[in-house]
């Protein structure tokens, strides 16, 4: 699946409309991407680079011969919800992580707030404004510049929604964002009307969209709706919920 994303990237760069024999040979022999691919990983709401790294251990194991996963933390601090328990999942689109026996959160972070006054986020909340997006875009741009180059960006939940916005900005010519493809897991379109411009024009950047048909945090139809913003997206669904799937069927596809 990642090889297909690389092929589509190459086609866009060189103006090919189909899979030429030469490109097919290069993909099969892995000449297109010598060494490990580098993926910048963007966590979900109420997560951070440490918790997301822990929750993607199986994915890193699957991809260890093919890709290096680099993690960063969102700049916005999130106030833990009262009474949060270890492993709780909230309607904001992320997992709640408790860092000590006293119930304190392990530095929960977010990429933007749908409710600027309360500084909270809910993926289902329709709003006219938001807070923190520009700061988060600068955080990702700095990571790309300081730790790059990267072949692709991988996002989960709110992080996936952010990656979709970054893809739109790249399409619009924003030179801060240099990468070849994106992997969006449990993604969705921002419900803020101030973000509508990001979804008006088709995005040609090669993307892989992964989501669960029984996801109760980000319903599958929201993730499917996001795919409509991209040209020829690759789509991988699973029967599970709100997580990064790494069971045998998905492992074969990766």
């Amino acid at each position: 699946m990642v090889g297909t994303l690389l092929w589509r990237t190459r086609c866009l760069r060189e103006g090919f409309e189909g899979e030429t024999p030469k490109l097919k040979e290069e993909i099969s022999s892995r000449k297109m991407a010598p060494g490990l691919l580098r993926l910048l990983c963007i966590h979900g709401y109420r997560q951070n680079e440490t918790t997301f790294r822990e929750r993607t251990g199986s994915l890193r194991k699957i991809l260890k011969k093919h890709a290096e996963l680099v993690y960063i933390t969102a700049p916005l601090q999130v106030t833990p919800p009262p009474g949060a328990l270890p492993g709780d999942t909230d309607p904001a689109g992320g997992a709640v992580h408790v860092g000590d026996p006293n119930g304190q959160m392990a530095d929960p972070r977010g990429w933007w707030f749908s409710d600027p006054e309360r500084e909270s986020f809910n993926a289902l909340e329709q709003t006219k404004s938001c807070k923190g997006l520009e700061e988060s875009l600068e955080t990702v741009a700095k990571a790309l510049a300081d730790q790059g180059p990267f072949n692709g960006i991988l996002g989960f939940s709110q992080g996936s929604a952010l990656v979709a916005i970054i893809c739109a900005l790249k399409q619009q010519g924003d030179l801060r964002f240099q990468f070849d493809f994106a992997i969006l897991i449990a993604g969705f379109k921002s419900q803020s009307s101030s973000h509508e411009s990001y979804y008006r024009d088709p995005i040609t950047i090669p993307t892989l969209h992964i989501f669960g048909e029984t996801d109760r945090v980000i319903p599958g139809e929201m993730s499917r709706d996001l795919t409509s913003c991209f040209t020829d997206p690759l789509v991988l669904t699973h029967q599970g919920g709100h997580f990064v799937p790494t069971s045998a069927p998905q492992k074969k596809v990766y």
Side-chain angles (χ1 to χ4, degrees):
M1 190 71 78
V2 173
T4 303
L5 288 174
L6 288 171
W7 162 66
R8 289 188 176 183
T9 300
R10 178 73 176 277
C11 287
L12 288 172
R13 284 179 174 177
E14 302 192 12
F16 295 127
E17 296 182 355
E19 184 174 352
T20 67
K22 182 178 179 180
L23 283 177
K24 188 173 183 180
E25 178 183 354
E26 288 182 351
I27 292 172
S28 62
S29 63
R30 300 185 183 180
K31 293 179 181 178
M32 289 184 63
L36 294 177
L37 297 173
R38 302 190 75 238
L39 301 179
L40 182 64
C41 298
I42 311 297
H43 63 77
Y45 189 69
R46 296 196 189 281
Q47 296 180 343
N48 56 46
E49 63 181 278
T50 301
T51 54
F52 191 42
R53 179 180 175 84
E54 292 172 352
R55 285 181 168 250
T56 53
S58 296
L59 180 64
R60 285 188 287 110
K61 184 176 180 180
I62 291 172
L63 298 178
K64 66 180 181 179
K65 294 182 179 180
H66 310 288
E68 174 191 3
L69 277 59
V70 178
Y71 298 79
I72 60 173
T73 291
L76 307 180
Q77 292 185 321
V78 178
T79 301
L85 298 174
D88 283 352
T89 300
D90 67 34
V96 173
H97 298 277
V98 178
D100 62 43
N102 296 320
Q104 295 299 310
M105 301 290 289
D107 191 24
R109 298 296 184 108
W111 298 103
W112 76 86
F113 298 126
S114 58
D115 187 331
E117 293 185 1
R118 296 183 179 180
E119 294 193 339
S120 63
F121 177 80
N122 190 317
L124 307 179
E125 183 176 23
Q126 296 184 346
T127 62
K128 294 182 180 180
S129 62
C130 73
K131 178 181 179 180
L133 178 61
E134 286 303 322
E135 185 178 353
S136 291
L137 291 174
E138 283 298 325
T139 296
V140 176
K142 187 176 188 303
L144 290 170
D146 294 348
Q147 302 181 54
F150 289 95
N151 300 94
I153 302 184
L154 180 152
F156 173 71
S157 199
Q158 191 194 39
S160 185
L162 178 68
V163 171
I165 290 174
I166 290 172
C167 286
L169 289 171
K170 176 178 171 61
Q171 175 97 359
Q172 295 167 11
D174 194 323
L175 298 179
R176 293 178 298 173
F177 304 110
Q178 300 297 321
F179 58 94
D180 297 325
F181 62 86
I183 300 174
L184 301 95
I185 306 173
F188 56 91
K189 293 167 60 175
S190 168
Q191 299 300 297
S192 173
S193 59
S194 62
H195 297 166
E196 290 178 352
S197 62
Y198 297 126
Y199 311 110
R200 288 174 183 166
D201 299 321
I203 302 172
T204 60
I205 295 168
T207 52
L208 168 61
H209 300 253
I210 305 171
F211 55 90
E213 297 288 1
T214 59
D215 192 332
R216 296 183 180 181
V217 180
I218 303 299
E221 56 266 27
M222 289 184 68
S223 295
R224 199 175 298 279
D225 184 42
L226 178 62
T227 68
S228 66
C229 300
F230 293 83
T231 302
D232 297 326
L234 298 175
V235 179
L236 172 63
T237 62
H238 60 93
Q239 295 304 309
H242 196 65
F243 56 83
V244 180
T246 55
S247 60
Q250 291 82 46
K251 181 177 180 180
K252 183 177 181 181
V253 173
Y254 292 145

